[in-house]
Amino acid sequence: MGKTADLTAVQKAIIDTLKREGKTQKEISERIGCSQSAVSRHLSGKSVGRKKCGKKRCTTRRGDRTLRKIVEKDRFQTLGDLRKQWTESGVETSRATVHRRVLLNQKQRQKRLTWATEKQHWTVAQWSKVKFCMSFGNQGARVWRKTGEKEMPKCLKSSVKYPQSVMVWGAMSAAGQESWQAN
């Protein structure tokens, strides 16, 4: 069911036409597939100036274009560097916002939202059964690129085949800290 801010120009025109034909608000809402309150607000003029539902974007399309230009200048920058340059250009955002704007496409955002919605009401007992493993090795520098840019020279960087490395292990538990000893 659409809210008033979601009514299209076509739906609004249909509402006006059906009202002139003497239809009730309930009949109109059932016919165009929106709530009766949305029809009422449109007919009473209370929907004028109403903003869209949901959280307001913290960046503009212009700011997003600026970020894309920053990324295209040097595709091997860290998120921290990207955020610093974006802030210097006049856009104040969090590191997470930079990450979402650069990395996630619409399909990935939808998957994250679905995952979070499914687990929204989990109990402590359910969360305590979750196990995960994190590995921080030398996986090379991250390259910010779009689909189809894999072989572009500006997206490639030479590397050493067998660099020196250090392996670090860490663990967490729902029961608190645990002591680990090497065998």
Side-chain angles (χ1 to χ4, degrees):
M1 293 286 191
K3 295 191 174 167
T4 307
D6 301 327
L7 292 176
T8 64
V10 173
Q11 287 175 316
K12 291 175 183 178
I14 292 170
I15 291 171
D16 294 335
T17 303
L18 293 174
K19 186 62 179 171
R20 280 193 297 271
E21 292 176 1
K23 303 288 184 196
T24 65
Q25 290 180 7
K26 185 175 181 181
E27 292 171 332
I28 295 171
S29 67
E30 289 171 355
R31 183 127 175 224
I32 67 168
C34 71
S35 66
Q36 184 177 345
S37 61
V39 173
S40 174
R41 278 194 295 274
H42 171 71
L43 293 172
S44 67
K46 290 182 181 175
S47 64
V48 178
R50 181 180 154 150
K51 296 188 177 173
K52 291 203 174 204
C53 305
K55 184 179 177 191
K56 184 181 174 192
R57 283 180 57 97
C58 62
T59 62
T60 62
R61 293 188 192 282
R62 182 179 185 176
D64 292 348
R65 282 194 306 272
T66 303
L67 177 62
R68 280 194 295 274
K69 288 177 185 174
I70 292 169
V71 169
E72 287 172 2
K73 268 193 238 170
D74 181 5
R75 294 175 182 260
F76 297 94
Q77 298 179 78
T78 63
L79 276 177
D81 292 340
L82 290 173
R83 179 175 180 242
K84 182 179 177 188
Q85 287 185 40
W86 208 18
T87 302
E88 289 170 357
S89 72
V91 181
E92 282 292 329
T93 60
S94 67
R95 187 175 184 274
T97 299
V98 176
H99 189 265
R100 281 191 311 273
R101 295 291 190 273
V102 173
L103 286 182
L104 302 179
N105 60 35
Q106 189 58 38
K107 184 178 178 183
Q108 293 164 325
R109 287 187 186 116
Q110 187 58 47
K111 277 185 168 180
R112 282 187 175 196
L113 179 61
T114 302
W115 183 91
T117 305
E118 289 171 359
K119 285 145 186 71
Q120 183 176 9
H121 300 292
W122 270 25
T123 64
V124 174
Q126 287 173 304
W127 280 112
S128 67
K129 294 178 185 175
V130 174
K131 295 178 183 175
F132 62 93
C133 178
M134 292 174 47
S135 171
F136 298 101
N138 184 2
Q139 299 169 354
R142 179 176 290 279
V143 180
W144 308 104
R145 64 176 176 232
K146 296 178 184 171
T147 307
E149 294 182 341
K150 185 175 181 179
E151 302 298 328
M152 291 178 66
K154 64 183 175 184
C155 295
L156 300 174
K157 195 173 199 178
S158 61
S159 64
V160 178
K161 190 165 186 171
Y162 299 104
Q164 291 182 337
S165 64
V166 176
M167 186 176 288
V168 178
W169 288 69
M172 291 187 298
S173 165
Q177 293 180 340
E178 296 181 21
S179 62
W180 293 80
Q181 294 181 352
N183 293 338

